[in-house]
Amino acid sequence: MDHGTTGGLEEPYYAQARDFVQRHLPPCSGLQVTLTYAQSLDGMIAARPGQQLLLSSRAAMAMTHRMRAHHDAILVGIGTVLADDPQLSARLLPSSEMPCHPQPVVLDPHLRMPATARLLSGPRADPRLHSPWIIAGPHADPAKRQELQRLGATVISVDQVDQQGRPLLDAVAAELSRRGVRRLMVEGGAHIIQAFLASVLVNTLVVTIAPVFVGVGGVTAACASAAHAQTFPNIRPLAYEQFGTDVVMVASVQQ
Ligand SMILES: NC(=O)C1=CN([C@@H]2O[C@H](COP(=O)(O)OP(=O)(O)OC[C@H]3O[C@@H](n4cnc5c(N)ncnc54)[C@H](OP(=O)(O)O)[C@@H]3O)[C@@H](O)[C@H]2O)C=CC1
Ligand SMILES: Nc1nc(O)c(N)c(N[C@@H]2O[C@H](COP(=O)(O)O)[C@@H](O)[C@H]2O)n1
């Protein structure tokens, strides 16, 4: 992957993406959390569990990369790493605008991160990429921790966990703040979207809606029961804008 090119995107995409992000994301005071994902018209983020589905048009993807560049850190769950093997970089931006990519963060309580993950190998090839921070629970395997650290990752233990041994998001947010993160972008997947919606941490929601139907068997954006979904916060849409064939909604989250 050539991180120094524009990825073939036309200039108007960049200008629209830059203006959109500058206009709609709030100024930073304390930890600002942006939750963002792309979904189909029937509310799916993937066609099958554990599989990646490219929903965003090129213009919407340019907006996502611009948004990544606006944040200090990009967080996903280990399910997304296993399914997508993501890079979480802002590589679609011209390198002159992106001297250093945001910090990848993976919520991985039991250290299931594969040694072959691109998040680990990427920074060895490109000094502008950061090795990932991996948030582990207290019972993670010490040998796996050592292996991941040897591969460049920083494994951060968060001891405050829920009944499933998963780090409490408040504690994760506090730890990221302590490490200097001011703007955090959460990109999924389904379990992480649900967990953040149920927390009081999200300030802004950005959803790309692609004009496709995925159908039964797809992965819903937040895998919540109706009862659980009742605990989600109220959303106040601020803007809808078309990017290529997609519509992007920006909303503030009322906690
Ligand atoms: N369209 C889009 O924009 C996006 C789509 N996706 C898609 O989503 C799918 C992956 O979603 P999913 O499988 O739900 O994986 P997630 O990325 O949501 O990761 C879930 C895992 O995260 C760990 N975890 C850590 N803390 C928590 C917490 N507080 N609550 C819940 N889980 C926690 C758990 O690991 P453990 O079980 O080890 O405890 C859990 O199994 C893929 O198909 C991917 O392609 C992903 C991102 C964006
Ligand atoms: N914005 C957006 N649109 C889609 O259609 C998607 N499938 C995703 N997925 C998220 O982006 C990650 C992959 O991107 P990189 O290769 O890291 O650039 C993926 O892991 C999801 O977090 N996003």
Side-chain angles (χ1 to χ4, degrees):
M1 181 63 63
D2 180 2
H3 297 280
T5 70
T6 61
L9 291 168
E10 290 85 5
E11 177 56 31
Y13 288 168
Y14 285 124
Q16 186 192 8
R18 185 193 56 231
D19 293 350
F20 184 78
V21 170
Q22 283 175 355
R23 203 174 326 124
H24 296 301
L25 288 194
C28 204
S29 63
L31 180 68
Q32 291 287 324
V33 178
T34 306
L35 175 61
T36 182
Y37 54 89
Q39 67 167 51
S40 62
L41 287 176
D42 49 348
M44 307 294 181
I45 63 167
R48 296 280 173 279
Q51 280 183 17
Q52 184 174 32
L53 176 64
L54 185 60
L55 288 156
S56 294
S57 62
R58 290 165 64 78
M61 214 59 217
M63 186 281 298
T64 296
H65 279 229
R66 170 63 67 178
M67 196 160 290
R68 284 179 181 173
H70 187 78
H71 290 78
D72 303 314
I74 315 295
L75 180 148
V76 294
I78 182 62
T80 294
V81 173
L82 294 172
D84 298 359
D85 196 12
Q87 301 172 72
L88 305 179
S89 67
R91 62 192 177 280
L92 292 181
L93 267 66
S95 45
S96 57
E97 288 194 49
M98 204 61 234
C100 193
H101 292 277
Q103 174 65 53
V105 179
V106 181
L107 283 185
D108 184 8
H110 307 102
L111 294 183
R112 295 193 281 141
M113 175 91 134
T116 52
R118 281 200 283 198
L119 285 176
L120 293 166
S121 58
R124 290 199 288 274
D126 183 347
R128 293 180 304 135
L129 293 167
H130 294 283
S131 289
W133 293 349
I134 303 177
I135 312 280
H139 305 302
D141 177 12
K144 186 66 191 276
R145 167 192 291 267
Q146 271 189 358
E147 181 192 12
L148 290 170
Q149 298 205 138
R150 193 173 45 74
L151 292 167
T154 300
V155 180
I156 300 167
S157 274
V158 169
D159 292 338
Q160 294 160 273
V161 290
D162 65 13
Q163 288 168 339
Q164 290 155 300
R166 291 167 173 165
L168 296 181
L169 295 186
D170 283 348
V172 171
E175 181 61 32
L176 294 179
S177 288
R178 205 178 62 74
R179 289 170 181 264
V181 174
R182 293 287 166 268
R183 293 191 181 90
L184 175 66
M185 176 163 156
V186 176
E187 283 209 33
H191 287 87
I192 295 302
I193 293 168
Q194 175 179 331
F196 270 88
L197 281 174
S199 77
V200 292
L201 293 166
V202 181
N203 304 97
T204 306
L205 179 64
V206 180
V207 181
T208 296
I209 302 156
V212 292
F213 292 101
V214 164
V216 173
V219 177
T220 55
C223 44
S225 65
H228 197 149
Q230 304 271 328
T231 67
F232 289 173
N234 290 325
I235 304 297
R236 189 164 67 86
L238 299 174
Y240 297 89
E241 189 162 323
Q242 189 168 350
F243 282 86
T245 50
D246 307 330
V247 170
V248 178
M249 181 197 74
V250 182
S252 66
V253 177
Q254 319 281 291
Q255 301 292 358

